[in-house]
Amino acid sequence: MDKLSRIRRELARNRSVYLMLAPVLAYFIVFQYVPMAGAVIAFKDFNPATGVEGSPWVGLDWFRQFFDSLFVGRVISNTILINVYDVLVGFPAPIVLALLLNELTSTRFRQFVQTVTYLPHFISVVVVSGMLLDFLARDGVIGQIVAAFGGTPQAVMNDPDWFRTVYVGSEIWQSVGWGSIIYLAALAGINPTLYEAARIDGASRWQRLCHITLPGLLPIIATLLVLRLGQMMTVGFEKIILLYNPATYETADVISTYVYRHGILDANYSYAAAVGLFNSAVAMVLLVVANKLSRRWSGTSIW
């Protein structure tokens, strides 16, 4: 039987599954893969009046202009540092929360904690940013508490030294509860007879955690860490645009906000496309490297 016949038999045998898969494939083709063709303007001097085909080729000029820019070091280092802080502090936070929730014996208290930690995930980024700007203003709630204890209130959001801490902290507050769901699901899949056998053998809670719980979570931790490392050059621009100002550009300006200013505000589409393409290429390399390292060290990979 040739390959084409095997494909036809497979499609006929599982046609209901492939029919359900069709809308997902159509979505990715139309909204994810087709727009990639627009990246060609990174190698052209794009003019909306003449279109992509009518715009002249410029080769790698936009890439050279980006690397010769005074701000290239700043935006790349800020992007990497915010992601490093988030990986070091933000990535373990849902794991720790899931482990603590798993140890709670009171179902009611556990549900209360889960509800409280899940709620911030559903708050709009605009609302969260507005809350941060109000609370951390010189005359905001935090400033008034500092003044009540004899301290000197300061405008935290105008201090570049505080921006990364505030940004990463707010990200953890918003995502720690939601992110713990997948770890709780993984914990529920661990065979309970392993814990019973460990208790009979006299294993303490710490020993059960180290020898049963963490090994059970290792595959999902490795998979999510690989996906997270693949985003080391990506920081969502929405919250940063809402929070930063020229006084905090030194530590707040990242690649995505840089692309936004040049691409949308300055209408320099080709330059913004070149910077975005560079960012995507580095992210893809990081994802491939992280996946290979995960496969070698933990035996888990995403492909």
Side-chain angles (χ1 to χ4, degrees):
M1 184 183 298
D2 60 4
K3 190 174 182 179
L4 185 59
S5 299
R6 287 200 299 271
I7 293 175
R8 285 176 179 170
R9 287 193 60 182
E10 173 66 19
L11 291 174
R13 184 186 305 162
N14 300 305
R15 57 181 176 276
S16 58
V17 176
Y18 289 111
L19 282 175
M20 288 190 290
L21 184 62
V24 180
L25 287 176
Y27 167 80
F28 277 97
I29 291 172
V30 174
F31 295 105
Q32 301 292 332
Y33 289 100
V34 172
M36 287 183 185
V40 71
I41 67 173
F43 306 96
K44 288 192 166 193
D45 186 10
F46 177 67
N47 185 342
T50 57
V52 176
E53 293 183 357
S55 301
W57 292 94
V58 295
L60 300 176
D61 285 357
W62 296 118
F63 294 91
R64 295 192 190 96
Q65 186 173 327
F66 172 61
F67 287 111
D68 291 339
S69 168
L70 293 174
F71 305 111
V72 59
R74 185 180 74 180
V75 296
I76 291 177
S77 62
N78 287 341
T79 303
I80 293 175
L81 283 175
I82 287 177
N83 275 296
V84 168
Y85 296 154
D86 190 54
V87 169
L88 293 179
V89 183
F91 185 80
I95 302 173
V96 174
L97 178 62
L99 293 174
L100 293 175
L101 290 173
N102 191 54
E103 294 295 326
L104 289 178
T105 55
S106 171
T107 304
R108 184 170 296 181
F109 182 65
R110 174 178 173 168
Q111 291 174 343
F112 171 75
V113 174
Q114 285 180 291
T115 303
V116 170
T117 53
Y118 291 171
L119 281 178
H121 174 77
F122 299 100
I123 301 177
S124 164
V125 173
V126 177
V127 174
V128 171
S129 301
M131 291 168 59
L132 290 172
L133 292 173
D134 285 340
F135 290 169
L136 299 176
R138 190 182 301 277
D139 57 349
V141 174
I142 305 299
Q144 292 179 17
I145 293 175
V146 171
F149 283 93
T152 303
Q154 58 176 323
V156 175
M157 297 311 297
N158 288 330
D159 187 346
D161 293 336
W162 277 100
F163 187 86
R164 292 171 188 148
T165 302
V166 172
Y167 179 84
V168 174
S170 66
E171 285 290 297
I172 295 173
W173 174 68
Q174 271 195 284
S175 62
V176 65
W178 190 256
S180 67
I181 292 177
I182 192 166
Y183 296 108
L184 287 170
L187 287 170
I190 297 176
N191 191 344
T193 58
L194 296 175
Y195 292 104
E196 293 298 329
R199 287 192 188 94
I200 293 172
D201 291 340
S204 64
R205 277 192 169 188
W206 178 254
Q207 289 172 324
R208 293 197 297 270
L209 172 69
C210 294
H211 298 288
I212 300 176
T213 306
L214 288 180
L217 288 179
L218 184 59
I220 191 65
I221 292 175
T223 301
L224 294 181
L225 183 59
V226 168
L227 295 174
R228 182 63 188 85
L229 292 177
Q231 298 175 338
M232 286 298 287
M233 293 295 288
T234 303
V235 177
F237 69 93
E238 297 94 343
K239 184 184 287 186
I240 290 187
I241 285 178
L242 292 168
L243 292 178
Y244 79 169
N245 59 65
T248 57
Y249 276 4
E250 178 185 345
T251 57
D253 195 19
V254 296
I255 292 178
S256 57
T257 54
Y258 186 75
V259 169
Y260 170 80
R261 287 201 306 276
H262 284 272
I264 304 299
L265 302 183
D266 298 341
N268 194 350
Y269 304 114
S270 292
Y271 183 70
V275 179
L277 188 60
F278 160 75
N279 191 28
S280 300
V282 175
M284 187 181 70
V285 172
L286 288 175
L287 179 63
V288 172
V289 172
N291 190 57
K292 283 190 175 181
L293 292 177
S294 175
R295 186 188 304 159
R296 178 178 301 177
W297 292 339
S298 70
T300 302
S301 62
I302 58 177
W303 69 78

